[in-house]
Amino acid sequence: MSKKQDFDTMVRKMIKGSDVIVEVIDARFPSLSRAKRYENMVKRDRSKKLLVAMNKVDLVPDKIVQKWRDILNDERIDVIPTSARERLSTKILRNSIIRAVGKDFFYITACFIGLPNTGKSSLINILKGRSSAPVAPIPGFTRALQVLRITTRLRIFDTPGVIPTKLSLGDQILLGVIKPEKLPDYQKAAWALVHRIDQINPNAITETYEIEYESPPEFIEKFAEKRHKRKKGGELDLDTAAVIFMTEHINKARIPVWENPEEYLRKKEENV
Ligand SMILES: Nc1nc2c(ncn2[C@@H]2O[C@H](COP(=O)(O)OP(=O)(O)OP(=O)(O)O)[C@@H](O)[C@H]2O)c(=O)[nH]1
Ligand SMILES: [Mg+2]
């Protein structure tokens, strides 16, 4: 069995054993980063409650966060906008978990699920009050299940992030769910990222790096020049430049980019 299947089996088991499922999504990409398969699994079981933590709100303008919150509420999803980095709304999250099950439960088991790198372990650490779940800017960092006792009443499962199968290469890098170094073709992957960001936020890359370009390959070339990435012979080192560009997006969130709520609504209406 592949590691992905192992993780998937593990997450499903943890969902089965939990009262509350906290799905952590990325506030920059609230639609793309949803783990719909698990959401559906939770919705089918009426004994379980689903909460969505829209994390990393520090990277998105408040107005956009509010719009996404309304959209998800309209879809009957309970959303709590959080920022583990700025410790925003983490108490609200903890109280919501406890409130979700009602007073009848004395012991509560919650399970944090979601794509890699959305901030599951970071949020749990804040709830716990000290670092217990290892955190890293590396997607796929949590590799095994961790059980954490938050209070005498509440225990939390931290699970490894699972990548939905239908996510395109561009979206996988956009969401930061894979390590750039693991990709077979760095330049192709970086082009896919440029292309995807251009679709979502057309001026974001030019404004961030002060580079004008007509195509993704041209951007990577100019980026390599600007960063003085050259091989020994003097020619541009496009592979190194591609990895640096992707890593700056995944690890440092340098490019201001987020899904447009209106666009999401428009597409949804078209599909109905
Ligand atoms: N800007 C910002 N970064 C965050 C926030 N929460 C977490 N991060 C960063 O996102 C990265 C991933 O955080 P983790 O907590 O390891 O994410 P995870 O969901 O446990 O990831 P996996 O274990 O790979 O599934 C780290 O670099 C965190 O510092 C947040 O609210 N805002
Ligand atoms: Mg983790």
Side-chain angles (χ1 to χ4, degrees):
M1 236 205 285
S2 74
K3 204 183 284 162
K4 193 171 164 184
Q5 280 169 321
D6 284 348
F7 283 176
D8 182 57
T9 310
M10 194 194 297
V11 171
R12 284 174 182 279
K13 236 189 235 166
M14 291 313 120
I15 290 177
K16 284 200 184 113
S18 302
D19 312 304
V20 183
I21 287 77
V22 179
E23 182 190 357
V24 183
I25 63 172
D26 186 323
R28 293 172 296 170
F29 313 109
S31 141
L32 291 169
S33 65
R34 271 169 79 177
K36 282 265 175 72
R37 278 192 320 145
Y38 299 128
E39 271 183 31
N40 292 335
M41 181 184 165
V42 179
K43 280 185 197 156
R44 279 197 296 270
D45 185 339
R46 289 176 157 256
S47 68
K48 303 196 186 306
K49 295 280 194 271
L50 176 74
L51 290 177
V52 169
M54 195 158 70
N55 191 41
K56 307 198 183 184
V57 293
D58 53 293
L59 299 175
V60 183
D62 289 346
K63 260 195 193 158
I64 306 278
V65 171
Q66 194 50 48
K67 279 194 184 143
W68 277 109
R69 187 183 192 169
D70 293 344
I71 289 175
L72 295 177
N73 282 340
D74 283 348
E75 294 181 15
R76 294 165 173 257
I77 304 243
D78 282 330
V79 189
I80 302 139
T82 59
S83 166
R85 176 152 301 165
E86 295 185 352
R87 296 180 170 255
L88 279 175
S89 303
T90 48
K91 274 199 188 118
I92 295 176
L93 178 62
R94 188 204 318 229
N95 293 339
S96 303
I97 294 172
I98 294 170
R99 226 176 318 125
V101 294
K103 287 192 206 92
D104 298 342
F105 283 69
F106 186 76
Y107 294 109
I108 302 162
T109 303
C111 159
F112 277 50
I113 61 160
L115 272 56
N117 236 351
T118 51
K120 298 175 289 300
S121 301
S122 302
L123 282 171
I124 294 172
N125 281 337
I126 295 177
L127 296 184
K128 179 130 177 94
R130 65 191 158 84
S131 278
S132 317
V135 171
I138 304 159
F141 196 69
T142 304
R143 298 194 156 271
L145 174 82
Q146 304 228 13
V147 189
L148 297 136
R149 194 162 288 285
I150 307 297
T151 65
T152 45
R153 285 185 68 192
L154 174 63
R155 66 178 182 152
I156 289 183
F157 294 132
D158 185 9
T159 66
V162 181
I163 306 170
T165 19
K166 61 175 182 200
L167 221 50
S168 68
L169 174 67
D171 281 347
Q172 289 187 37
I173 307 161
L174 180 72
L175 269 60
V177 298
I178 39 170
K179 292 182 202 166
E181 315 90 69
K182 287 223 164 149
L183 294 161
D185 185 332
Y186 302 144
Q187 290 180 54
K188 236 190 190 159
W191 299 345
L193 177 62
V194 174
H195 178 67
R196 206 57 190 95
I197 296 177
D198 284 349
Q199 281 179 328
I200 298 182
N201 226 337
N203 296 320
I205 295 181
T206 296
E207 279 167 15
T208 304
Y209 291 109
E210 293 175 343
I211 293 174
E212 305 267 352
Y213 57 94
E214 297 292 330
S215 67
E218 189 191 346
F219 169 75
I220 297 299
E221 274 177 33
K222 289 187 167 173
F223 182 83
E225 257 168 40
K226 197 159 187 174
R227 295 292 176 92
H228 309 292
K229 296 298 161 199
R230 288 188 182 275
K231 293 183 187 160
K232 281 208 180 102
E235 65 183 301
L236 287 173
D237 187 348
L238 298 174
D239 279 334
T240 302
V243 171
I244 293 174
F245 170 65
M246 290 187 282
T247 309
E248 287 191 1
H249 169 66
I250 296 174
N251 292 10
K252 298 188 188 144
R254 266 205 71 180
I255 306 160
V257 56
W258 47 81
E259 275 188 279
N260 181 338
E262 264 93 39
E263 181 90 12
Y264 172 80
L265 286 176
R266 206 172 47 73
K267 276 201 185 137
K268 212 175 135 184
E269 262 173 29
E270 275 171 14
N271 286 335
V272 179

